[in-house]
Amino acid sequence: MSQTQEINKLPIILTAIITVIATVTVLHLYGYLNFVNPEKGLELADYRVVTVGSEEAGSLRRNPAKHEAECVDGILVLHASNMNGLSGVLKDNRDRVVRCVNQTVPLAE
């Protein structure tokens, strides 16, 4: 007859739970976890419109901003080239997204 010893499972379960909590805590402290609140948006940059032909249009700098824009499903999406993977939509002061029109560039003949 073989006798089986019963293993107490409580220490194993507690160790697993404490390990998960410690891992999440360390990842959060080092900044690898980012809990985003939908109500809080990250302001990527401050933009304003400069009309064509105004005095201000002549004093613009030649070097471009570190953001790129693209039209995705009719909405203008900004991508930050200096922050990997950070992108967002452009909105006005009333929290309305800025729309765009997909235009194709004519091919040079």
Side-chain angles (χ1 to χ4, degrees):
M1 291 189 183
S2 65
Q3 290 182 339
T4 59
Q5 292 182 352
E6 189 151 333
I7 299 173
N8 191 1
K9 295 179 184 174
L10 184 63
I12 296 173
I13 294 172
L14 288 176
T15 302
I17 291 172
I18 291 172
T19 302
V20 169
I21 291 172
T23 303
V24 169
T25 303
V26 168
L27 287 174
H28 180 65
L29 289 176
Y30 281 101
Y32 290 107
L33 294 181
N34 187 11
F35 300 107
V36 178
N37 198 356
E39 293 85 27
K40 287 175 107 177
L42 178 64
E43 187 172 323
L44 189 60
D46 187 22
Y47 289 94
R48 55 194 171 87
V49 174
V50 176
T51 57
V52 177
S54 66
E55 293 178 13
E56 205 173 354
S59 64
L60 295 177
R61 296 184 184 177
R62 291 193 182 271
N63 53 348
K66 294 182 179 177
H67 303 97
E68 297 173 355
E70 89 176 295
C71 193
V72 178
D73 295 331
I75 297 174
L76 189 66
V77 178
L78 286 176
H79 303 285
S81 58
N82 59 345
M83 298 178 212
N84 292 338
L86 185 62
S87 61
V89 296
L90 191 63
K91 67 177 188 78
D92 65 358
N93 57 354
R94 290 183 171 177
D95 291 337
R96 298 177 296 189
V97 296
V98 175
R99 300 226 154 271
C100 61
V101 178
N102 286 335
Q103 286 185 332
T104 57
V105 177
L107 296 173
E109 294 180 12

